[in-house]
Amino acid sequence: MSEDGRLVAVVTGANRGIGKAIVRRLLLQQSKPLIIYLTARNMERGQQAFDELRREQLKASSNRCNELRFHQLDVSDIESIRAFIEYLTLMHGEQSTDILINNAGGVVRKDDGSGEVVRKCNVETAYKTVQMNYFTAVNVTSLMVPCMRKGGRVVFMVTALAQLGIFSGDLPKVLVSDELSLQGLHIIENGFVSSVGKGTFSNYGFPPMPFAVAKAGLIAYARMMARICGPDSRDLVFAAVCPGYVKTDMTGPYAPLTPDEGAETPVYVALTDDVKRLKRHNGGLWKHLRPMKW
């Protein structure tokens, strides 16, 4: 909480889609006063999203004590992450953040100018997908956790396609094991990429689904962080949230949910006063405002 009593929230990849919708919900809600950092890799697009949402706030009759700020953040660049954390520390102190929503991510698209998603599971697609959806969020979180305040909440945007049932062999047991380490989880994600390159991924229990494998890594990471931070006196909460099948640039125009509807559950987890419920399901998977079995 900042000196004036407002919570500090950070949303990554927030210039469009679900990320932008999450920022909109946070900005227009009236239950808790917030300082919201809309972050984006692209300065121009991030500033445009900031300007649009700021105009929406001014037109709305909602509580205007919420403050929207924009800061450039490239989650694939460690130095960019560190620079952002330094800025937060300067503005809000060593423990600067109450809410972190890891939304940045994406899919690999064809480089022929069509913008179409690459559907083929090859080693290049697997590598890029795991990097942008798993390792970036882990890097941001690992560096941000020391900056989280008491009662802080960390949300990872995932997909219900990343169910344990898509894996076979020993992988489902390993992914939910209390013995799983961060190094072990990295080995699993990198092992998927390597096995795709060799054409042996099915031998190791992986499906030909890079996006789902990467997001499954985040679900396992949320569980792991809840376990590791359990003794921490700050009582941090971690959650993996599936927004549902949302109409975005990634999914196309036929998905049934709007980005605003997809933003409902992550914002609920970020702001709910039902702390006991969150703690009962710390590290768990959420969808449609409810915890769900992984």
Side-chain angles (χ1 to χ4, degrees):
M1 186 176 295
S2 59
E3 291 183 359
D4 59 6
R6 292 182 292 179
L7 300 177
V8 175
V10 173
V11 185
T12 68
N15 63 287
R16 63 181 180 181
I18 297 173
K20 184 179 178 182
I22 289 171
V23 171
R24 178 184 291 109
R25 274 187 174 262
L26 291 172
L27 185 63
L28 300 183
Q29 60 80 36
Q30 301 182 56
S31 64
K32 293 182 180 178
L34 301 173
I35 298 173
I36 306 138
Y37 283 92
L38 182 162
T39 72
R41 178 178 57 186
N42 184 288
M43 284 284 293
E44 183 178 352
R45 293 172 185 170
Q47 186 64 52
Q48 182 180 357
F50 170 87
D51 292 340
E52 291 173 359
L53 292 174
R54 188 74 180 96
R55 284 194 293 269
E56 286 187 38
Q57 183 189 26
L58 292 174
K59 290 179 181 178
S61 59
S62 59
N63 191 338
R64 294 181 184 176
C65 69
N66 296 326
E67 180 182 351
L68 181 62
R69 300 178 183 179
F70 168 64
H71 199 286
Q72 191 273 343
L73 174 62
D74 182 350
V75 297
S76 66
D77 182 349
I78 292 294
E79 292 309 313
S80 178
I81 300 170
R82 287 175 175 157
F84 177 54
I85 291 174
E86 288 179 7
Y87 177 81
L88 290 175
T89 301
L90 178 66
M91 298 298 295
H92 306 290
E94 289 293 330
Q95 291 189 327
S96 60
T97 308
D98 299 282
I99 299 162
L100 170 62
I101 300 180
N102 288 287
N103 172 75
V107 292
V108 179
R109 299 183 182 277
K110 296 179 180 179
D111 56 8
D112 59 4
S114 67
E116 293 182 14
V117 175
V118 176
R119 303 292 181 185
K120 186 177 180 180
C121 180
N122 56 40
V123 67
E124 181 182 6
T125 301
Y127 174 78
K128 290 181 178 179
T129 303
V130 168
Q131 288 293 321
M132 77 171 76
N133 290 286
Y134 169 74
F135 282 105
T136 55
V138 169
N139 288 339
V140 170
T141 303
S142 297
L143 292 171
M144 286 285 292
V145 160
C147 309
M148 299 298 295
R149 294 169 174 162
K150 185 173 179 60
R153 302 176 189 182
V154 180
V155 175
F156 302 93
M157 299 304 294
V158 298
T159 172
L161 294 176
Q163 284 289 338
L164 281 177
I166 67 173
F167 300 96
S168 59
D170 292 332
L171 269 180
K173 291 181 181 179
V174 173
L175 287 169
V176 299
S177 171
D178 288 341
E179 303 300 319
L180 181 62
S181 66
L182 182 56
Q183 181 182 10
L185 190 51
H186 285 355
I187 289 172
I188 290 172
E189 293 293 324
N190 284 324
F192 166 69
V193 175
S194 177
S195 65
V196 168
K198 297 175 182 177
T200 59
F201 57 87
S202 61
N203 297 344
Y204 295 97
F206 293 110
M209 303 163 64
F211 186 74
V213 171
K215 292 298 187 179
L218 285 187
I219 298 172
Y221 181 64
R223 292 171 57 91
M224 180 190 305
M225 290 302 294
R227 170 170 49 85
I228 292 172
C229 295
D232 194 312
S233 61
R234 290 176 295 166
D235 294 325
L236 303 180
V237 170
F238 299 84
V241 174
C242 172
Y245 190 27
V246 176
K247 188 182 303 181
T248 67
D249 290 343
M250 286 194 293
T251 59
Y254 302 111
L257 301 179
T258 65
D260 186 63
E261 290 170 323
E264 184 178 15
T265 300
V267 171
Y268 167 80
V269 172
L271 297 181
T272 181
D273 289 323
D274 195 347
V275 178
K276 290 184 178 179
R277 188 186 191 203
L278 288 184
K279 287 185 176 180
R280 280 199 308 272
H281 303 285
N282 197 1
L285 178 61
W286 292 73
K287 185 179 181 182
H288 300 320
L289 304 178
R290 297 187 301 273
M292 63 178 289
K293 185 178 179 180
W294 186 23

